[in-house]
Amino acid sequence: MSAGSAGPAPGPGPGPEPGPLCPEHGQALTWFCCSDRRPVCAACTEPGGRCRGHRIRPAGERAEELRNKIVDQCERLQLQSAGITKYMAEVLPGKNQRAVSMASAARELVIQRLGLVRTLCETEEQRLLERVHGEEERAHQSILTQRVHWTEALQKLDTIRTSLVDMLTHTDDLQLIQKEQEIFERTEEAEGILDPQESKKLNFNETCAWSPLLTQLWATAALGSLSGTEDVRIDERTVSPFLQLSDDGRTLTFNAKKSKACADGPERFDHWPNALAATSFQSGLHAWMVNVQNSGAYKVGVALGQLPRKGSGSDSRLGHNACSWVFSRYDQEFCFSHDGQHEPLGLLRCPAQLGVLLDLQAQELLFYDPASGTVLHTHHASFPGPLFPVFAVADQTISIVH
């Protein structure tokens, strides 16, 4: 070698540290035995090896498959965490606000009604307000419990996700394969955390403000003070040709023979013996009384203005559609009807007069027998629009009392 010639070429730098070797053959574990579920060397896969006839695949391919599973699981965990975070940020505060709002409305309802009969109901007022407060506290506590539960769930999901990400980024192929059971356990733990579900326990139960005593006394006072003040008259344009309307617009008389004198129009009921009042109510407290003692077949209640007027179908028959809520009598049977659902009412006597009380603030419709002071039926509903007093008579006469 001449003096000017270069020295020997530098050798290769230090390579990656060798991984575990096959204890049987001393070779690198570059394959994965799908039958034994463990990494093996090339010699193990040969005809004389212990994995002869087994399904064999490259170890790197198996590691890549596990990596993909971790990535998928991390994405699912991230979506689940986002859903829970949104639930805590949007749903739970809304539930809390709604519980507070409904509790406030319930207080106002209780105080308003007891104001009419306060001398008789001071003890009842205190009892009901305590129930409302207790229900508000219960709803609030349920919401707080949910918040704590889902905060812990988020922390657990975050811990699991951090662990999986750490495996993904700091573990080589063989270590990852060896941690497969741990990956499975972590994934199974995460799948055990269910998504939030709607629960009635998170809602304020407004029935805590209901009381039979309060309803009875309030109905008596309200009907006594309001009945007769509402100038309820029947709209002649709606009167069925099977009915005759008095000159003062308050009495309906049934005629089995259809009248030919009635001019047909879009407002008139042409088949069922129905009639609507001329005035509708969309807010406040309203009461009216109907004399029903001469009729053995009638319906009294409220209906939406869009109640169909034509034809013999259920859509224009009171109580058989979603547009009407009525108390009805047929012979000796009484019931409350709405949307084709008929609730029998076991009355001991036939009322001579029927009081109707409509409280649109509380979304409540009440039927009352003023002679006996008995609440015949109470119905709570979310009425979707202005309501008209509605009447039907198929026997004799009914009259609005003024």
Side-chain angles (χ1 to χ4, degrees), residues 240-243 269-275 311-314 316-318:
S240 164
F242 291 99
L243 300 177
F269 292 95
D270 67 355
H271 180 80
W272 299 108
N274 305 339
S312 60
S314 295
S316 59
R317 188 179 184 185
L318 299 186

Side-chain angles (χ1 to χ4, degrees), residues 116 218 220-230 285-288 357-358:
L116 297 173
W218 170 73
T220 302
L223 280 169
S225 62
L226 295 176
S227 184
T229 62
E230 303 281 2
L285 179 63
H286 306 274
W288 59 98
L357 193 59
L358 177 63

Side-chain angles (χ1 to χ4, degrees), residues 146-158 193:
Q146 283 280 295
R147 188 180 295 279
V148 170
H149 170 77
W150 291 115
T151 298
E152 293 175 352
L154 278 176
Q155 292 173 349
K156 184 177 291 186
L157 288 174
D158 185 63
I193 301 175

Side-chain angles (χ1 to χ4, degrees), residues 25 55 110 114 180 198 204 224 250 274 296 314 376 392:
H25 303 101
R55 182 169 172 264
V110 170
L114 286 171
E180 181 177 359
E198 174 63 28
F204 181 88
R250 295 193 178 97
N274 305 339
S314 295
L376 304 176

Side-chain angles (χ1 to χ4, degrees), residues 89-310:
E90 298 179 7
V91 178
L92 290 183
K95 293 285 186 183
N96 192 57
Q97 183 60 39
R98 179 168 174 78
V100 172
S101 175
M102 293 182 71
S104 176
R107 286 193 189 92
E108 293 177 6
L109 175 64
V110 170
I111 294 172
Q112 176 198 35
R113 291 187 172 182
L114 286 171
L116 297 173
V117 287
R118 185 161 300 278
T119 55
L120 300 176
C121 296
E122 289 182 355
T123 301
E124 184 74 353
E125 179 183 18
Q126 183 62 31
R127 184 181 74 86
L128 289 175
L129 288 176
E130 288 177 358
R131 284 178 61 185
V132 169
H133 178 72
E135 174 59 19
E136 181 184 16
E137 287 295 310
R138 184 209 59 76
H140 183 64
Q141 187 60 44
S142 294
I143 293 169
L144 289 179
T145 301
Q146 283 280 295
R147 188 180 295 279
V148 170
H149 170 77
W150 291 115
T151 298
E152 293 175 352
L154 278 176
Q155 292 173 349
K156 184 177 291 186
L157 288 174
D158 185 63
T159 300
I160 295 172
R161 183 173 178 273
T162 300
S163 173
L164 292 174
V165 170
D166 183 68
M167 288 185 192
L168 185 66
T169 56
H170 298 95
T171 306
D172 62 29
D173 292 359
L174 293 177
Q175 290 173 331
L176 191 65
I177 294 173
Q178 292 168 349
K179 289 179 178 289
E180 181 177 359
Q181 180 61 31
E182 182 180 349
I183 295 171
F184 172 77
E185 291 173 355
R186 290 285 187 175
T187 301
E188 191 175 54
E189 183 180 3
E191 290 173 350
I193 301 175
L194 303 179
D195 292 334
Q197 301 293 324
E198 174 63 28
S199 172
K200 291 183 178 180
K201 293 181 179 180
L202 300 179
N203 298 329
F204 181 88
N205 182 7
E206 59 185 350
T207 61
C208 68
W210 298 353
S211 160
L213 173 61
L214 175 58
T215 300
Q216 190 88 15
L217 294 173
W218 170 73
T220 302
L223 280 169
S225 62
L226 295 176
S227 184
T229 62
E230 303 281 2
D231 188 15
V232 177
R233 295 173 185 261
I234 294 166
D235 186 349
E236 191 279 332
R237 298 173 303 169
T238 69
V239 176
S240 164
F242 291 99
L243 300 177
Q244 180 180 343
L245 180 64
S246 63
D247 292 339
D248 65 0
R250 295 193 178 97
T251 299
L252 289 169
T253 302
F254 176 71
N255 290 316
K257 188 175 181 181
K258 188 174 184 178
S259 173
K260 297 181 180 179
C262 294
D264 192 18
E267 298 89 358
R268 190 177 304 282
F269 292 95
D270 67 355
H271 180 80
W272 299 108
N274 305 339
L276 281 178
T279 305
S280 65
F281 306 119
Q282 54 186 347
S283 63
L285 179 63
H286 306 274
W288 59 98
M289 201 98 67
V290 184
N291 190 332
V292 294
Q293 64 181 340
N294 295 323
S295 179
Y298 61 82
K299 294 180 181 180
V300 174
V302 294
L304 298 173
Q306 60 263 37
L307 175 70
R309 316 296 171 85
K310 307 301 181 184

